[in-house]
PDB file of all heavy atoms in Angstrom:
ATOM      1  N   ALA A   1      -0.543 -16.396 -10.582  1.00 97.00           N
ATOM      2  CA  ALA A   1      -0.337 -16.626 -12.046  1.00 97.00           C
ATOM      3  C   ALA A   1      -0.863 -18.037 -12.376  1.00 97.00           C
ATOM      4  O   ALA A   1      -1.518 -18.181 -13.464  1.00 97.00           O
ATOM      5  CB  ALA A   1       1.140 -16.483 -12.360  1.00 97.00           C
ATOM      6  N   GLN A   2      -0.611 -19.023 -11.654  1.00 97.00           N
ATOM      7  CA  GLN A   2      -1.004 -20.386 -11.959  1.00 97.00           C
ATOM      8  C   GLN A   2      -2.499 -20.479 -11.844  1.00 97.00           C
ATOM      9  O   GLN A   2      -3.221 -21.103 -12.701  1.00 97.00           O
ATOM     10  CB  GLN A   2      -0.422 -21.421 -10.963  1.00 97.00           C
ATOM     11  CG  GLN A   2      -0.760 -22.838 -11.342  1.00 97.00           C
ATOM     12  CD  GLN A   2      -0.282 -23.274 -12.710  1.00 97.00           C
ATOM     13  OE1 GLN A   2       0.878 -23.124 -13.015  1.00 97.00           O
ATOM     14  NE2 GLN A   2      -1.117 -23.729 -13.528  1.00 97.00           N
ATOM     15  N   ARG A   3      -3.124 -19.832 -10.857  1.00 97.00           N
ATOM     16  CA  ARG A   3      -4.561 -19.804 -10.758  1.00 97.00           C
ATOM     17  C   ARG A   3      -5.226 -19.173 -12.005  1.00 97.00           C
ATOM     18  O   ARG A   3      -6.215 -19.702 -12.567  1.00 97.00           O
ATOM     19  CB  ARG A   3      -5.013 -18.991  -9.513  1.00 97.00           C
ATOM     20  CG  ARG A   3      -6.491 -18.954  -9.291  1.00 97.00           C
ATOM     21  CD  ARG A   3      -6.908 -18.019  -8.170  1.00 97.00           C
ATOM     22  NE  ARG A   3      -6.400 -18.509  -6.871  1.00 97.00           N
ATOM     23  CZ  ARG A   3      -6.384 -17.838  -5.770  1.00 97.00           C
ATOM     24  NH1 ARG A   3      -6.845 -16.638  -5.741  1.00 97.00           N
ATOM     25  NH2 ARG A   3      -5.944 -18.360  -4.620  1.00 97.00           N
ATOM     26  N   LEU A   4      -4.623 -18.077 -12.489  1.00 97.00           N
ATOM     27  CA  LEU A   4      -5.219 -17.448 -13.672  1.00 97.00           C
ATOM     28  C   LEU A   4      -4.997 -18.296 -14.836  1.00 97.00           C
ATOM     29  O   LEU A   4      -5.939 -18.329 -15.727  1.00 97.00           O
ATOM     30  CB  LEU A   4      -4.549 -16.026 -13.820  1.00 97.00           C
ATOM     31  CG  LEU A   4      -4.774 -15.026 -12.704  1.00 97.00           C
ATOM     32  CD1 LEU A   4      -4.020 -13.827 -12.879  1.00 97.00           C
ATOM     33  CD2 LEU A   4      -6.253 -14.751 -12.524  1.00 97.00           C
ATOM     34  N   ALA A   5      -3.928 -18.917 -15.014  1.00 97.00           N
ATOM     35  CA  ALA A   5      -3.632 -19.840 -16.143  1.00 97.00           C
ATOM     36  C   ALA A   5      -4.632 -20.953 -16.124  1.00 97.00           C
ATOM     37  O   ALA A   5      -5.194 -21.367 -17.207  1.00 97.00           O
ATOM     38  CB  ALA A   5      -2.146 -20.314 -16.125  1.00 97.00           C
ATOM     39  N   ASP A   6      -4.914 -21.546 -14.987  1.00 97.00           N
ATOM     40  CA  ASP A   6      -5.858 -22.647 -14.929  1.00 97.00           C
ATOM     41  C   ASP A   6      -7.241 -22.259 -15.315  1.00 97.00           C
ATOM     42  O   ASP A   6      -7.920 -23.059 -16.064  1.00 97.00           O
ATOM     43  CB  ASP A   6      -5.907 -23.201 -13.467  1.00 97.00           C
ATOM     44  CG  ASP A   6      -4.678 -23.947 -13.061  1.00 97.00           C
ATOM     45  OD1 ASP A   6      -3.865 -24.319 -13.958  1.00 97.00           O
ATOM     46  OD2 ASP A   6      -4.431 -24.072 -11.798  1.00 97.00           O
ATOM     47  N   ILE A   7      -7.648 -21.031 -14.963  1.00 97.00           N
ATOM     48  CA  ILE A   7      -8.959 -20.488 -15.369  1.00 97.00           C
ATOM     49  C   ILE A   7      -9.018 -20.368 -16.884  1.00 97.00           C
ATOM     50  O   ILE A   7     -10.016 -20.814 -17.573  1.00 97.00           O
ATOM     51  CB  ILE A   7      -9.298 -19.237 -14.655  1.00 97.00           C
ATOM     52  CG1 ILE A   7      -9.494 -19.453 -13.191  1.00 97.00           C
ATOM     53  CG2 ILE A   7     -10.513 -18.543 -15.275  1.00 97.00           C
ATOM     54  CD1 ILE A   7      -9.554 -18.212 -12.332  1.00 97.00           C
ATOM     55  N   CYS A   8      -7.934 -19.805 -17.509  1.00 97.00           N
ATOM     56  CA  CYS A   8      -7.903 -19.683 -18.929  1.00 97.00           C
ATOM     57  C   CYS A   8      -7.945 -21.001 -19.652  1.00 97.00           C
ATOM     58  O   CYS A   8      -8.702 -21.206 -20.624  1.00 97.00           O
ATOM     59  CB  CYS A   8      -6.738 -18.894 -19.306  1.00 97.00           C
ATOM     60  SG  CYS A   8      -6.801 -17.156 -18.836  1.00 97.00           S
ATOM     61  N   LEU A   9      -7.139 -21.956 -19.193  1.00 97.00           N
ATOM     62  CA  LEU A   9      -7.029 -23.239 -19.869  1.00 97.00           C
ATOM     63  C   LEU A   9      -8.275 -24.098 -19.726  1.00 97.00           C
ATOM     64  O   LEU A   9      -8.418 -25.092 -20.359  1.00 97.00           O
ATOM     65  CB  LEU A   9      -5.811 -23.962 -19.325  1.00 97.00           C
ATOM     66  CG  LEU A   9      -4.503 -23.356 -19.736  1.00 97.00           C
ATOM     67  CD1 LEU A   9      -3.349 -24.000 -19.043  1.00 97.00           C
ATOM     68  CD2 LEU A   9      -4.327 -23.380 -21.222  1.00 97.00           C
ATOM     69  N   ALA A  10      -9.171 -23.783 -18.763  1.00 95.00           N
ATOM     70  CA  ALA A  10     -10.442 -24.490 -18.648  1.00 95.00           C
ATOM     71  C   ALA A  10     -11.423 -24.142 -19.742  1.00 95.00           C
ATOM     72  O   ALA A  10     -12.395 -24.831 -19.945  1.00 95.00           O
ATOM     73  CB  ALA A  10     -11.097 -24.103 -17.257  1.00 95.00           C
ATOM     74  N   GLU A  11     -11.142 -23.129 -20.568  1.00 93.00           N
ATOM     75  CA  GLU A  11     -11.939 -22.749 -21.715  1.00 93.00           C
ATOM     76  C   GLU A  11     -11.518 -23.624 -22.898  1.00 93.00           C
ATOM     77  O   GLU A  11     -10.388 -23.657 -23.275  1.00 93.00           O
ATOM     78  CB  GLU A  11     -11.720 -21.266 -22.050  1.00 93.00           C
ATOM     79  CG  GLU A  11     -12.218 -20.306 -21.027  1.00 93.00           C
ATOM     80  CD  GLU A  11     -13.700 -20.353 -20.899  1.00 93.00           C
ATOM     81  OE1 GLU A  11     -14.454 -20.317 -21.911  1.00 93.00           O
ATOM     82  OE2 GLU A  11     -14.180 -20.446 -19.732  1.00 93.00           O
ATOM     83  N   PRO A  12     -12.500 -24.312 -23.500  1.00 90.00           N
ATOM     84  CA  PRO A  12     -12.171 -25.238 -24.589  1.00 90.00           C
ATOM     85  C   PRO A  12     -11.361 -24.643 -25.735  1.00 90.00           C
ATOM     86  O   PRO A  12     -10.416 -25.316 -26.202  1.00 90.00           O
ATOM     87  CB  PRO A  12     -13.553 -25.778 -25.031  1.00 90.00           C
ATOM     88  CG  PRO A  12     -14.402 -25.576 -23.794  1.00 90.00           C
ATOM     89  CD  PRO A  12     -13.900 -24.394 -23.142  1.00 90.00           C
ATOM     90  N   PRO A  13     -11.586 -23.374 -26.161  1.00 92.00           N
ATOM     91  CA  PRO A  13     -10.785 -22.927 -27.299  1.00 92.00           C
ATOM     92  C   PRO A  13      -9.359 -22.491 -26.894  1.00 92.00           C
ATOM     93  O   PRO A  13      -8.519 -22.284 -27.753  1.00 92.00           O
ATOM     94  CB  PRO A  13     -11.571 -21.666 -27.776  1.00 92.00           C
ATOM     95  CG  PRO A  13     -12.438 -21.282 -26.690  1.00 92.00           C
ATOM     96  CD  PRO A  13     -12.660 -22.473 -25.831  1.00 92.00           C
ATOM     97  N   VAL A  14      -9.091 -22.465 -25.633  1.00 94.00           N
ATOM     98  CA  VAL A  14      -7.711 -21.948 -25.156  1.00 94.00           C
ATOM     99  C   VAL A  14      -6.817 -23.178 -25.052  1.00 94.00           C
ATOM    100  O   VAL A  14      -7.084 -24.190 -24.326  1.00 94.00           O
ATOM    101  CB  VAL A  14      -7.786 -21.227 -23.837  1.00 94.00           C
ATOM    102  CG1 VAL A  14      -6.409 -20.813 -23.362  1.00 94.00           C
ATOM    103  CG2 VAL A  14      -8.710 -20.026 -23.917  1.00 94.00           C
ATOM    104  N   HIS A  15      -5.710 -23.184 -25.854  1.00 96.00           N
ATOM    105  CA  HIS A  15      -4.724 -24.308 -25.795  1.00 96.00           C
ATOM    106  C   HIS A  15      -3.476 -23.899 -25.054  1.00 96.00           C
ATOM    107  O   HIS A  15      -2.749 -24.744 -24.546  1.00 96.00           O
ATOM    108  CB  HIS A  15      -4.403 -24.745 -27.209  1.00 96.00           C
ATOM    109  CG  HIS A  15      -5.618 -25.407 -27.871  1.00 96.00           C
ATOM    110  ND1 HIS A  15      -5.944 -26.714 -27.685  1.00 96.00           N
ATOM    111  CD2 HIS A  15      -6.530 -24.883 -28.743  1.00 96.00           C
ATOM    112  CE1 HIS A  15      -7.075 -26.980 -28.350  1.00 96.00           C
ATOM    113  NE2 HIS A  15      -7.410 -25.871 -28.990  1.00 96.00           N
ATOM    114  N   TRP A  16      -3.158 -22.627 -24.981  1.00 97.00           N
ATOM    115  CA  TRP A  16      -2.021 -22.175 -24.326  1.00 97.00           C
ATOM    116  C   TRP A  16      -2.287 -20.771 -23.819  1.00 97.00           C
ATOM    117  O   TRP A  16      -3.135 -20.019 -24.377  1.00 97.00           O
ATOM    118  CB  TRP A  16      -0.765 -22.220 -25.120  1.00 97.00           C
ATOM    119  CG  TRP A  16      -0.743 -21.356 -26.313  1.00 97.00           C
ATOM    120  CD1 TRP A  16      -1.125 -21.737 -27.600  1.00 97.00           C
ATOM    121  CD2 TRP A  16      -0.354 -19.981 -26.396  1.00 97.00           C
ATOM    122  NE1 TRP A  16      -1.033 -20.702 -28.447  1.00 97.00           N
ATOM    123  CE2 TRP A  16      -0.520 -19.602 -27.757  1.00 97.00           C
ATOM    124  CE3 TRP A  16       0.147 -19.095 -25.521  1.00 97.00           C
ATOM    125  CZ2 TRP A  16      -0.242 -18.330 -28.186  1.00 97.00           C
ATOM    126  CZ3 TRP A  16       0.465 -17.791 -25.916  1.00 97.00           C
ATOM    127  CH2 TRP A  16       0.225 -17.428 -27.228  1.00 97.00           C
ATOM    128  N   VAL A  17      -1.471 -20.352 -22.810  1.00 97.00           N
ATOM    129  CA  VAL A  17      -1.673 -18.941 -22.240  1.00 97.00           C
ATOM    130  C   VAL A  17      -0.361 -18.522 -21.696  1.00 97.00           C
ATOM    131  O   VAL A  17       0.445 -19.288 -21.144  1.00 97.00           O
ATOM    132  CB  VAL A  17      -2.841 -18.999 -21.166  1.00 97.00           C
ATOM    133  CG1 VAL A  17      -2.432 -19.816 -19.999  1.00 97.00           C
ATOM    134  CG2 VAL A  17      -3.102 -17.543 -20.696  1.00 97.00           C
ATOM    135  N   ASP A  18      -0.088 -17.191 -21.788  1.00 97.00           N
ATOM    136  CA  ASP A  18       1.026 -16.528 -21.135  1.00 97.00           C
ATOM    137  C   ASP A  18       0.374 -15.584 -20.116  1.00 97.00           C
ATOM    138  O   ASP A  18      -0.533 -14.823 -20.476  1.00 97.00           O
ATOM    139  CB  ASP A  18       1.881 -15.672 -22.065  1.00 97.00           C
ATOM    140  CG  ASP A  18       2.743 -16.586 -22.996  1.00 97.00           C
ATOM    141  OD1 ASP A  18       3.178 -17.626 -22.538  1.00 97.00           O
ATOM    142  OD2 ASP A  18       2.931 -16.095 -24.152  1.00 97.00           O
ATOM    143  N   VAL A  19       0.787 -15.713 -18.900  1.00 97.00           N
ATOM    144  CA  VAL A  19       0.199 -14.882 -17.845  1.00 97.00           C
ATOM    145  C   VAL A  19       1.301 -14.081 -17.139  1.00 97.00           C
ATOM    146  O   VAL A  19       2.302 -14.696 -16.742  1.00 97.00           O
ATOM    147  CB  VAL A  19      -0.521 -15.703 -16.750  1.00 97.00           C
ATOM    148  CG1 VAL A  19      -1.005 -14.867 -15.608  1.00 97.00           C
ATOM    149  CG2 VAL A  19      -1.673 -16.484 -17.323  1.00 97.00           C
ATOM    150  N   THR A  20       1.141 -12.793 -17.039  1.00 97.00           N
ATOM    151  CA  THR A  20       2.130 -11.973 -16.330  1.00 97.00           C
ATOM    152  C   THR A  20       1.403 -11.264 -15.258  1.00 97.00           C
ATOM    153  O   THR A  20       0.346 -10.631 -15.426  1.00 97.00           O
ATOM    154  CB  THR A  20       2.708 -10.864 -17.316  1.00 97.00           C
ATOM    155  OG1 THR A  20       3.359 -11.522 -18.400  1.00 97.00           O
ATOM    156  CG2 THR A  20       3.695  -9.998 -16.601  1.00 97.00           C
ATOM    157  N   VAL A  21       1.999 -11.405 -14.056  1.00 94.00           N
ATOM    158  CA  VAL A  21       1.473 -10.774 -12.815  1.00 94.00           C
ATOM    159  C   VAL A  21       2.449  -9.758 -12.358  1.00 94.00           C
ATOM    160  O   VAL A  21       3.638 -10.011 -12.235  1.00 94.00           O
ATOM    161  CB  VAL A  21       1.183 -11.793 -11.739  1.00 94.00           C
ATOM    162  CG1 VAL A  21       0.685 -11.129 -10.465  1.00 94.00           C
ATOM    163  CG2 VAL A  21       0.136 -12.821 -12.209  1.00 94.00           C
ATOM    164  N   HIS A  22       2.027  -8.542 -12.137  1.00 88.00           N
ATOM    165  CA  HIS A  22       2.874  -7.450 -11.585  1.00 88.00           C
ATOM    166  C   HIS A  22       2.504  -7.178 -10.163  1.00 88.00           C
ATOM    167  O   HIS A  22       1.345  -7.257  -9.707  1.00 88.00           O
ATOM    168  CB  HIS A  22       2.620  -6.137 -12.390  1.00 88.00           C
ATOM    169  CG  HIS A  22       3.061  -6.216 -13.757  1.00 88.00           C
ATOM    170  ND1 HIS A  22       4.310  -5.789 -14.214  1.00 88.00           N
ATOM    171  CD2 HIS A  22       2.472  -6.685 -14.885  1.00 88.00           C
ATOM    172  CE1 HIS A  22       4.412  -5.969 -15.526  1.00 88.00           C
ATOM    173  NE2 HIS A  22       3.275  -6.528 -15.934  1.00 88.00           N
ATOM    174  N   LYS A  23       3.536  -6.921  -9.315  1.00 82.00           N
ATOM    175  CA  LYS A  23       3.310  -6.557  -7.919  1.00 82.00           C
ATOM    176  C   LYS A  23       4.236  -5.368  -7.652  1.00 82.00           C
ATOM    177  O   LYS A  23       5.338  -5.549  -7.094  1.00 82.00           O
ATOM    178  CB  LYS A  23       3.632  -7.716  -7.072  1.00 82.00           C
ATOM    179  CG  LYS A  23       3.256  -7.450  -5.568  1.00 82.00           C
ATOM    180  CD  LYS A  23       3.291  -8.724  -4.735  1.00 82.00           C
ATOM    181  CE  LYS A  23       2.814  -8.468  -3.377  1.00 82.00           C
ATOM    182  NZ  LYS A  23       2.784  -9.720  -2.571  1.00 82.00           N
ATOM    183  N   PRO A  24       3.757  -4.178  -7.965  1.00 77.00           N
ATOM    184  CA  PRO A  24       4.668  -3.011  -7.883  1.00 77.00           C
ATOM    185  C   PRO A  24       4.947  -2.587  -6.415  1.00 77.00           C
ATOM    186  O   PRO A  24       5.940  -1.934  -6.174  1.00 77.00           O
ATOM    187  CB  PRO A  24       3.828  -1.902  -8.558  1.00 77.00           C
ATOM    188  CG  PRO A  24       2.417  -2.339  -8.543  1.00 77.00           C
ATOM    189  CD  PRO A  24       2.514  -3.880  -8.572  1.00 77.00           C
ATOM    190  N   GLN A  25       4.224  -3.123  -5.451  1.00 77.00           N
ATOM    191  CA  GLN A  25       4.497  -2.829  -4.049  1.00 77.00           C
ATOM    192  C   GLN A  25       4.841  -4.051  -3.259  1.00 77.00           C
ATOM    193  O   GLN A  25       4.479  -4.262  -2.150  1.00 77.00           O
ATOM    194  CB  GLN A  25       3.244  -2.106  -3.454  1.00 77.00           C
ATOM    195  CG  GLN A  25       2.951  -0.799  -4.127  1.00 77.00           C
ATOM    196  CD  GLN A  25       1.637  -0.218  -3.553  1.00 77.00           C
ATOM    197  OE1 GLN A  25       0.829  -0.845  -2.912  1.00 77.00           O
ATOM    198  NE2 GLN A  25       1.477   1.063  -3.876  1.00 77.00           N
ATOM    199  N   ALA A  26       5.700  -4.864  -3.907  1.00 74.00           N
ATOM    200  CA  ALA A  26       6.150  -6.120  -3.265  1.00 74.00           C
ATOM    201  C   ALA A  26       6.982  -5.755  -2.006  1.00 74.00           C
ATOM    202  O   ALA A  26       7.772  -4.793  -1.999  1.00 74.00           O
ATOM    203  CB  ALA A  26       6.962  -6.931  -4.222  1.00 74.00           C
ATOM    204  N   PRO A  27       6.925  -6.554  -0.983  1.00 76.00           N
ATOM    205  CA  PRO A  27       7.671  -6.274   0.281  1.00 76.00           C
ATOM    206  C   PRO A  27       9.161  -6.737   0.179  1.00 76.00           C
ATOM    207  O   PRO A  27       9.562  -7.817   0.652  1.00 76.00           O
ATOM    208  CB  PRO A  27       6.986  -7.122   1.324  1.00 76.00           C
ATOM    209  CG  PRO A  27       6.379  -8.265   0.589  1.00 76.00           C
ATOM    210  CD  PRO A  27       6.064  -7.717  -0.773  1.00 76.00           C
ATOM    211  N   LEU A  28       9.911  -5.880  -0.541  1.00 75.00           N
ATOM    212  CA  LEU A  28      11.366  -6.131  -0.719  1.00 75.00           C
ATOM    213  C   LEU A  28      12.200  -5.112   0.019  1.00 75.00           C
ATOM    214  O   LEU A  28      11.767  -3.997   0.204  1.00 75.00           O
ATOM    215  CB  LEU A  28      11.780  -6.236  -2.157  1.00 75.00           C
ATOM    216  CG  LEU A  28      11.072  -7.249  -3.046  1.00 75.00           C
ATOM    217  CD1 LEU A  28      11.457  -7.115  -4.501  1.00 75.00           C
ATOM    218  CD2 LEU A  28      11.456  -8.623  -2.510  1.00 75.00           C
ATOM    219  N   ARG A  29      13.403  -5.462   0.364  1.00 83.00           N
ATOM    220  CA  ARG A  29      14.262  -4.580   1.141  1.00 83.00           C
ATOM    221  C   ARG A  29      15.089  -3.653   0.262  1.00 83.00           C
ATOM    222  O   ARG A  29      15.937  -2.900   0.799  1.00 83.00           O
ATOM    223  CB  ARG A  29      15.178  -5.354   2.074  1.00 83.00           C
ATOM    224  CG  ARG A  29      14.438  -6.104   3.125  1.00 83.00           C
ATOM    225  CD  ARG A  29      15.341  -6.852   4.014  1.00 83.00           C
ATOM    226  NE  ARG A  29      14.558  -7.779   4.860  1.00 83.00           N
ATOM    227  CZ  ARG A  29      15.105  -8.666   5.667  1.00 83.00           C
ATOM    228  NH1 ARG A  29      16.416  -8.798   5.687  1.00 83.00           N
ATOM    229  NH2 ARG A  29      14.318  -9.446   6.380  1.00 83.00           N
ATOM    230  N   VAL A  30      14.984  -3.878  -1.048  1.00 81.00           N
ATOM    231  CA  VAL A  30      15.720  -3.019  -2.035  1.00 81.00           C
ATOM    232  C   VAL A  30      14.796  -2.237  -2.848  1.00 81.00           C
ATOM    233  O   VAL A  30      13.624  -2.532  -3.006  1.00 81.00           O
ATOM    234  CB  VAL A  30      16.635  -3.916  -2.917  1.00 81.00           C
ATOM    235  CG1 VAL A  30      17.658  -4.661  -2.073  1.00 81.00           C
ATOM    236  CG2 VAL A  30      15.798  -4.959  -3.718  1.00 81.00           C
ATOM    237  N   ALA A  31      15.326  -1.099  -3.405  1.00 80.00           N
ATOM    238  CA  ALA A  31      14.464  -0.268  -4.258  1.00 80.00           C
ATOM    239  C   ALA A  31      14.206  -0.995  -5.631  1.00 80.00           C
ATOM    240  O   ALA A  31      15.027  -1.613  -6.201  1.00 80.00           O
ATOM    241  CB  ALA A  31      15.208   1.046  -4.502  1.00 80.00           C
ATOM    242  N   PHE A  32      12.909  -0.790  -6.071  1.00 77.00           N
ATOM    243  CA  PHE A  32      12.545  -1.374  -7.356  1.00 77.00           C
ATOM    244  C   PHE A  32      11.330  -0.570  -7.790  1.00 77.00           C
ATOM    245  O   PHE A  32      10.626   0.052  -7.027  1.00 77.00           O
ATOM    246  CB  PHE A  32      12.226  -2.810  -7.207  1.00 77.00           C
ATOM    247  CG  PHE A  32      11.019  -3.047  -6.351  1.00 77.00           C
ATOM    248  CD1 PHE A  32       9.739  -3.244  -6.831  1.00 77.00           C
ATOM    249  CD2 PHE A  32      11.226  -3.190  -4.898  1.00 77.00           C
ATOM    250  CE1 PHE A  32       8.651  -3.464  -6.009  1.00 77.00           C
ATOM    251  CE2 PHE A  32      10.107  -3.446  -4.109  1.00 77.00           C
ATOM    252  CZ  PHE A  32       8.846  -3.529  -4.647  1.00 77.00           C
ATOM    253  N   ASP A  33      11.063  -0.690  -9.077  1.00 80.00           N
ATOM    254  CA  ASP A  33       9.846  -0.027  -9.679  1.00 80.00           C
ATOM    255  C   ASP A  33       8.733  -1.001  -9.757  1.00 80.00           C
ATOM    256  O   ASP A  33       7.524  -0.620  -9.624  1.00 80.00           O
ATOM    257  CB  ASP A  33      10.151   0.517 -11.057  1.00 80.00           C
ATOM    258  CG  ASP A  33      11.094   1.718 -11.011  1.00 80.00           C
ATOM    259  OD1 ASP A  33      11.025   2.528 -10.078  1.00 80.00           O
ATOM    260  OD2 ASP A  33      11.938   1.884 -11.951  1.00 80.00           O
TER     261      ASP A  33
END
């Protein structure tokens, strides 16, 4: 997420960014979607 935000913020017209990263197959021991 930080890497993607840095790329966006390197663009002169971009002053702020919201970045959402999804990982539907994260290695967790509990059930999740």
Side-chain angles (χ1 to χ4, degrees):
Q2 185 62 53
R3 181 186 295 170
L4 298 175
D6 290 342
I7 292 168
C8 292
L9 291 171
E11 294 294 314
V14 177
H15 293 278
W16 63 268
V17 64
D18 288 326
V19 176
T20 301
V21 176
H22 294 265
K23 189 170 184 176
Q25 297 174 347
L28 298 176
R29 296 180 191 172
V30 295
F32 64 94
D33 292 324

